[in-house]
Amino acid sequence: MIDTALSADVRAGRLGHSTLRPDGVAKVQGTFQFSGDLTADGVLWGATLRSPHPYARIVRIDVSGAWKITGVEAVITADDVPGVMTYGLIDQDQPVFASDVVRFVGEPVAAVAANHPDACRRALDAIVVEYEVLQPLTDPEKAVDGSFEAIHPLGNVFRQQRIVRGDQTIEGPIVVEGSYELGMQDQAFLGLEAALAVPDAGGAGVELHVATQWLHEDRKQIAACLGMADEQVRLVLGGVGGAFGAREDISLQVHTCLLALRTSRPVRMAYSRQESFLGHVHRHPCRITMRHHADHDGRLLRVEARFVFDGGAYASTSSAVLVNGITHAQGPYKCDNATVDGWAVRTNNLPCGAMRGFGVVQACFAHEAQMDKLAAAVGLDPLEVRLRNAMETGDRLITGQVVESVAPVARLIRELAAMPLPSEPVGGHDLNPMRLPGGAGRTADVGNVRRGIGWAVSIKNLMYSEGFDDYSTARVRLADGIATVKFATAEVGQGFVTLAGQIARSVLGVDEVVLDQIDTQVGSAGSTSASRQTWMSGGAVDGACRLVRERMFERVATLHGLDPLGLVIEGTEVVDTVSGLRLEVSEATAGIEFDETFEHHHRPTEDLDEFGQGNCHTAFAFAAHRAVVDVDPELGLVKVVEVATVQDIGRALNPLSITGQIEGGIAQGVGLAVMEEIIQLNGHVKNASFTDYLLPTFLDMPDVVIGLVEEPEPQAPLGAKGVGEPPTVSSTPAVVAAIRDAIGKDLTRVPVRPTDIVFG
Amino acid sequence: MSVLVPTSLVDALQALAEHPDATVLAGGTDLMVELNGGHRRASSVVVVNRVPELCTWRHDPVSRTLRLGAGVTYAQIERDPIASLVPGLAEAARTVGSPQIRHAATIGGNVGTCSPAGDGLPVLSALNAEVELVSAEGVRSVPFSSFMVGPKRTLRGPGELISAITVPVVDGWQGYAKVGVRNAMVIATASAAVVADSRRGTVAIALGSVGPTILRCPEAEAHAMEHADFGERRLAPEVVSHCCELVRLASRPIDDHRSTAAYRRHAVGVLAGRLLRRAFPNE
Ligand SMILES: Cc1cc2nc3c(=O)[nH]c(=O)nc-3n(C[C@H](O)[C@H](O)[C@H](O)COP(=O)(O)OP(=O)(O)OC[C@H]3O[C@@H](n4cnc5c(N)ncnc54)[C@H](O)[C@@H]3O)c2cc1C
């Protein structure tokens, strides 16, 4: 399905080819060095003391007991932070260590370094923190209506934003409305947070090896807290075992550096799974109400919506998540009139920030449920109502922004509808009880099961928004036919290390590409998030390679008396299209080095105004999903049988890599649909372990059928759109729509729990 | 922490006699999770998975019993020859964890932990299994139903080792089913075992995860037995429905983060009904 015609006649290792990951074998064989595996001579272990309370005043901290534990080399609290006391991606409101008030369960209060993890544990146990426990704010509506005292000096509302567009009085002859809710999903990457900090002699600086998504932004925040200049802090990417947004914020970075500088020794920190659940931001829980007005043909007249995102204790990226959510309220559909109100608020729940889909997952769950309701209300097929409203290039969003991206929404829907349904009957052809809802629990017989089909379509912005220039940098050197590529792009599993080589080989006509260490010794690459690195860092590597190629062509032209404009790369040769002269790239670069650096910037964007109007987004990608589920209505158990998808990708630069992104994204979407949720009771986390925070297993993962729509994106440097987020955005609503189809109930919350199916 | 690895039952018992507060480690799939999570500390550990006497099993066709050494793994139980002797326990074994877990996890460890969610336990309860305990002082045998006294609480004394579990080899149908929120690798939110002994004409129903211990359902069992046709494997639909109701009444579930009491009570009735229907496919 995936091996497009493009890859068949493409040279191995070049763009369009399903080149394998350079680190793939090492990862499968267990020899890849993840950041948790890093160590150094004389290394100490670091550990963090965390708040057991969602909201409390710190009356007293007594660390003297920790110093009495053998092996302890450092004990630090807020008093030991030399620079600014707080950090954050957008607003710096999160303390390195809480000093006066703790605002969520798991908030760091102190840290220790010792010669053994056991000594760390005993030292943490020996620190006495006296708390005055306060009543926590856990209901986000109380932050919206202002009925709860401010739990932070900056108040309880991170951002409020409206979108008001068009005729505010239009009422449809057809009106459908609903209230929707999404629980808190965790990124649940397998490689836990880990870092190794190595101090420079005399404390002049520090080198931090860390699994992160954005080295330069980390450096900026770390340096500020350490009271150092950026140059004094060098970051090197440690092996990353997944990210999905959870590594965009600071977690253990500052603590590890502080301990290393304090002890003048290397310090490693590594979170446990439980700590990881508390120590990074999550997907925002969200409550949404929507009212769609349409004419009798099912054409949208107006969308009204209200969003409340629970951002938890600290700001992180809540304000940007909010804007993403509300600006995608219409979905991939034409709609001229809209009234949207959105809040992102502070509570004493776990902090929330970036997670794959970034606010759009929430919007899509609601608008797709609404489109199904609309279809039912006008008596149309769910696909027909979507086709009638399908967005096209040139349409305006409810922000007034014109969609200039390729927008093949109708084509996605038609191609998805044309895909055959799974031929497998309930339980499979050979009736394997494991394939029934309940799986290995063997709860169902075929007669207990009903099948359902659901559809969902999405629009997702690519890159950063609202005026942010999230550029990327790459440096390329070419000598003796070998290209060396340097960038600070965090490889978190998405495969940029594969793609960078493919770009260099294609542009420069080389077979051998060396990837330099990923660190801060080159300009920023921006974050590995927002589906942006293929576009942004791909653009940077492509740009740097083109500069180098120009230099090489100029030299060949000078030496051979040719016009450089007539030169092209074919295979591993420089070819003059005029004279037919052919020269191996290795010859053309023998004994000489070309070295160029390039920054790729996307076109500028704007802030939203008070009515939510403005060209705030850079570009968009679209996807359509169809889910087939088997449901046991009596027990409320679900087996997702298949998810088929057609995705707008621009151009398949590495079809295998795209398959990986799509399958993985669907796994996360299925997880949110039927099981993944961090459960908090009055601010206390009930399931911070993989025993009770359930991720889909092999038996829960559906078969995935993939269709790619390749309409090259003119704005994108390589014609390719980001593919990481769309699979997660509309797979969740497709699965829930399929469950609704099977049981005929209004499921308005994800994850859908057995109780919702049985008693809902 | 001292770790002792005896290679005979005698050595194991001596090790336990010398360290009465020692923690026993079999497959480690419960214990290591607790130790690593800091929920439990061990000053000394006696490893029993290299004790040959604990890892064997014996079928006695005369007494029609199967004696499973405590160290027999779920991977062994889910396959023949054991699976055909105790198909209900094999069915339960297949619901446990993943293949990796089943290769390490032992039946003795499941009984040693004695969680109300232990998947082997409802079947052992429904089969009236006997738990054999051995110490330097001697051997004793306790019915499983009295061995388990509460959630993760048992009659096992200090210095005692679970040496074996003995179950009858029954004619007739037996099976197990468990509800969890995902399709594999999940802790039961409700589970049930049914054993229909066609030679004795008895029906046993046992429930997991819906009470502090594994629960039997005497009223439902009696009602089913009274109306069942074991030869024809026939049970009327209204009898099945009534049994489901009696099962729900016998359950004592709680609300927690995994589920609600109302759902557990509902689900355990559904499971019992479906298992009875599998035992008696004809209406
Ligand atoms: C990922 C995962 C998934 C799991 N899934 C399931 C599941 O689906 N269903 C389920 O029921 N369980 C499950 N478990 C729990 C566990 O696998 C079972 O309870 C298993 O039967 C325990 O056996 P073990 O040999 O590993 O016991 P251990 O962990 O070695 O021991 C368990 C307890 O019993 C004691 N003990 C062990 N052997 C003896 C003995 N001979 N005499 C006296 N005391 C003894 C130990 O001291 C300890 O307290 C899972 C565990 C994991 C890690």
Side-chain angles (χ1 to χ4, degrees), chain A residues 125-186:
Chain A
D125 287 347
I127 297 175
V128 179
V129 185
E130 197 183 308
Y131 292 101
E132 179 196 336
V133 176
L134 304 169
Q135 185 57 40
L137 165 56
T138 56
D139 177 1
E141 289 292 349
K142 289 192 176 151
V144 171
D145 67 23
S147 63
F148 205 97
E149 62 169 271
I151 59 169
H152 189 281
L154 296 175
N156 295 347
V157 176
F158 294 125
R159 181 165 175 180
Q160 177 182 2
Q161 178 68 53
R162 306 200 72 197
I163 297 176
V164 180
R165 177 159 189 85
D167 185 341
Q168 297 297 297
T169 61
I170 286 192
E171 303 272 321
I174 307 287
V175 179
V176 291
E177 61 179 274
S179 293
Y180 306 94
E181 189 181 341
L182 297 96
M184 183 185 284
Q185 189 179 20
D186 189 67

Side-chain angles (χ1 to χ4, degrees), chain B residues 23-34 40 48 54 70-71 74 95-98 101 104-113 117-120 133 156 160-163 178 185-188:
Chain B
T23 304
V24 177
L25 178 118
T29 59
D30 276 326
L31 187 64
M32 292 313 295
V33 175
E34 295 196 353
R40 192 160 153 183
V48 296
L54 295 181
Y74 279 123
T95 75
V96 172
S98 59
I101 295 295
T106 64
I107 186 72
N110 212 218
V111 171
T113 299
D119 282 315
L133 297 160
R156 187 173 81 91
E160 269 189 321
L161 206 58
I162 301 166
S163 44
K178 92 169 180 199
M185 283 279 280
V186 69
I187 295 181

Side-chain angles (χ1 to χ4, degrees), chain A residues 434 438-443, chain B residues 74 78 88-98 102 117-120 176-178 183-188 191:
Chain A
M434 300 279 270
R442 285 146 204 272
T443 48
Chain B
Y74 279 123
E78 70 177 311
L89 195 58
E91 197 76 338
R94 291 180 196 117
T95 75
V96 172
S98 59
R102 296 198 291 275
D119 282 315
Y176 176 76
K178 92 169 180 199
N183 287 310
M185 283 279 280
V186 69
I187 295 181
S191 68

Side-chain angles (χ1 to χ4, degrees), chain A residues 17 44 60 77 121 195 202 236 250 298 397 419 489 643 671 679 685:
Chain A
H17 176 254
L44 297 171
R60 183 175 68 95
T77 64
R121 186 179 45 72
V236 180
I250 294 290
L397 299 175
M419 284 184 170
T489 310
V643 173
I679 296 164
V685 183

